[in-house]
Amino acid sequence: MRNVFNFSAGPAMLPAEVLQQVQKELLDWRGIGASIMEISHRSQDFIDVAQTAENDLREILDIPVYYKVLFCQGGARAQFAAVPMNLLKNKDLSVDYINSGYWSYHAANEAKKYCNPHIVDVTTVVNDLYKIQPMRDWSLSDDSFYIHYCPNETIEGLSIDEDPNFKTSIVIGDFSSTLLSRPLNISKFGIIYAAAQKNIGLSGLTVVIVREDLLGSYCREVPSILNYQLLANNKSMFNTPPTFSWYIAGLVFKWLKKRGGLVVMNKHNKNKASLLYSTIDKSGFYFNNISPENRSLMNVPFRLINSKLEDMFLKEALDAGLYALKGHRLVGGIRASLYNAMPLKGVQTLVEFMNWFSDKYG
Ligand SMILES: *Cc1c(COP(=O)(O)O)cnc(C)c1O
């Protein structure tokens, strides 16, 4: 057994049961005498794995039949380019990019290569706390063809949980660090995408859920490997897909179903996050500067009031078996990522450590 809790923001920890299963069947997958990594993506064996993964994901997220599920490559960053290229046959259409932090900003920046995005800042500071304006106050264009936003800013720990309800029905979400953490009303979106290395599995795979009527309006220059229509026609096997990552995602989906699905997962995630936030809030030693309604359940950044103690905190945390708590290099401080695979015990251990540390140095 591993006796370390891994708080990495991504690639992030996987459920122990999934790793154990991988280990068990690594050398000889289902008695074929080879590993899953070594077989053709065109073999019936792999096609079964791929299709089962898609079916399980559809069931877990309750994805309507008029959506395609694509298993893509290139990470979420490739989708920053793929989205405008797949939707903007006409590059003059107005598009709105909501800027709520690092990832949504970079999505907008990449889109500038393909269109002229209208960037909408939605973060405000109220009583020293960062807060996202409610959606009804977002200053969108009158004739917005699509709206792109990021419901969970992984670095800042800012989350937008409202269901979108805009004039345009083409709402696009970068769900990289929050997909599968809670139930989601897919039908509110035109496209949902998520890099797998946070809450789905391994890097190398990006899940894209796209409404069928949006296929086919791509611009001429879109690379074939990013063309949703082409990928959908080829069941995401236009070229060799990341087979091992796809297989792992499938195991994670089975694990999620066994755990009771997203309603149970959401409860579990809320319990973990509220334990950590309440410890921070009542400590007088640690602080988090996000307004409560926008606090992320997945990524919890915090600081020590005496920031000089942060290096010591990280060092002693590591000695206590608490791994990867260092904040993103751009914002510093501490960040604990609490994706689905993080057990409550991990957060309890972190909180005990935090209380011990603040008693010692406070
Ligand atoms: C991690 C992350 C990305 C970047 O994903 P890559 O796979 O590295 O391209 C983009 N958006 C969000 C919200 C993320 O959390």
Side-chain angles (χ1 to χ4, degrees):
M1 271 318 275
R2 306 187 299 170
N3 52 4
V4 162
F5 291 106
N6 176 3
F7 294 90
S8 170
M13 70 175 292
L14 289 163
E17 295 93 318
V18 166
L19 289 174
Q20 277 153 1
Q21 183 169 350
V22 173
Q23 183 181 45
K24 211 170 68 195
E25 58 193 25
L26 191 66
L27 296 185
D28 183 10
W29 182 75
R30 296 189 188 168
I32 64 170
S35 80
I36 186 78
M37 287 181 272
E38 302 165 300
I39 66 173
S40 168
H41 57 298
R42 310 272 178 215
S43 65
Q44 195 55 49
D45 281 332
F46 189 79
I47 290 172
D48 287 346
V49 168
Q51 251 156 27
T52 305
E54 176 177 337
N55 294 343
D56 285 339
L57 181 64
R58 283 183 174 278
E59 186 185 326
I60 293 165
L61 271 171
D62 198 12
I63 301 175
V65 290
Y66 54 96
Y67 283 78
K68 294 286 187 201
V69 176
L70 308 176
F71 291 81
C72 301
Q73 303 180 59
R77 288 241 191 208
Q79 295 308 313
F80 293 174
V83 164
M85 285 196 286
N86 273 282
L87 293 181
L88 297 175
K89 197 180 219 158
N90 173 359
K91 294 189 178 65
D92 296 329
L93 291 169
S94 316
V95 293
D96 286 319
Y97 273 76
I98 307 305
N99 175 23
S100 57
Y102 182 89
W103 287 117
S104 56
Y105 172 80
H106 282 280
N109 223 27
E110 183 73 12
K112 284 180 190 160
K113 294 178 182 171
Y114 312 100
C115 58
N116 186 14
H118 171 229
I119 297 175
V120 185
D121 295 321
V122 297
T123 313
T124 54
V125 181
V126 181
N127 300 327
D128 292 331
L129 296 178
Y130 286 95
K131 192 174 149 72
I132 305 279
Q133 292 170 351
M135 284 178 174
R136 62 173 184 280
D137 294 338
W138 291 0
S139 344
L140 305 171
S141 321
D142 291 334
D143 51 351
S144 188
F145 180 64
Y146 73 69
I147 297 166
H148 178 282
Y149 78 104
C150 178
N152 189 75
E153 288 282 4
T154 320
I155 293 174
E156 292 85 353
L158 272 163
S159 126
I160 304 172
D161 293 340
E162 257 183 282
D163 262 355
N165 243 331
F166 300 115
K167 257 196 288 179
T168 176
S169 71
I170 312 181
V171 181
I172 298 157
D174 173 0
F175 276 79
S176 291
S177 49
T178 182
L179 195 68
L180 303 181
S181 69
R182 60 180 173 93
L184 186 62
N185 188 346
I186 303 283
S187 69
K188 297 279 181 190
F189 294 86
I191 300 171
I192 284 172
Y193 62 89
Q197 68 271 22
K198 281 65 187 267
N199 224 1
I200 297 174
L202 302 189
S203 58
L205 175 73
T206 308
V207 170
V208 178
I209 303 167
V210 51
R211 212 173 60 215
E212 268 169 4
D213 63 289
L214 302 179
L215 300 174
S217 45
Y218 51 89
C219 71
R220 205 173 49 82
E221 302 86 349
V222 63
S224 301
I225 60 154
L226 294 180
N227 183 325
Y228 296 156
Q229 171 98 74
L230 195 70
L231 290 169
N233 291 347
N234 289 280
K235 296 192 182 301
S236 304
M237 297 204 195
F238 168 68
N239 73 326
T240 316
T243 52
F244 194 65
S245 298
W246 198 330
Y247 151 79
I248 298 276
L251 297 182
V252 170
F253 300 155
K254 288 277 184 234
W255 174 83
L256 265 174
K257 280 173 61 173
K258 217 166 103 191
R259 296 276 320 254
L262 299 188
V263 171
V264 172
M265 217 22 96
N266 189 32
K267 232 173 105 198
H268 169 70
N269 288 330
K270 279 184 175 160
N271 283 341
K272 289 184 296 180
S274 72
L275 175 60
L276 181 50
Y277 283 117
S278 68
T279 302
I280 293 168
D281 290 344
K282 60 182 191 236
S283 70
F285 187 84
Y286 307 100
F287 70 96
N288 164 280
N289 60 1
I290 311 279
S291 186
E293 69 274 28
N294 294 121
R295 282 176 160 183
S296 168
L297 300 186
M298 295 288 99
N299 311 97
V300 182
F302 60 94
R303 311 281 321 211
L304 274 60
I305 289 171
N306 178 358
S307 61
K308 289 200 194 81
L309 288 171
E310 283 173 355
D311 285 343
M312 179 75 89
F313 178 91
L314 290 167
K315 188 188 161 300
E316 299 214 14
L318 200 54
D319 291 343
L322 303 166
Y323 176 76
L325 282 166
K326 195 173 167 59
H328 190 275
R329 63 197 144 82
L330 290 176
V331 297
I334 319 292
R335 174 175 52 173
S337 292
L338 313 178
Y339 300 118
N340 289 342
M342 175 59 66
L344 180 61
K345 187 80 175 67
V347 184
Q348 287 166 338
T349 309
L350 171 61
V351 160
E352 277 164 30
F353 169 79
M354 288 167 68
N355 289 334
W356 171 83
F357 189 90
S358 61
D359 282 348
K360 183 166 166 198
Y361 294 101

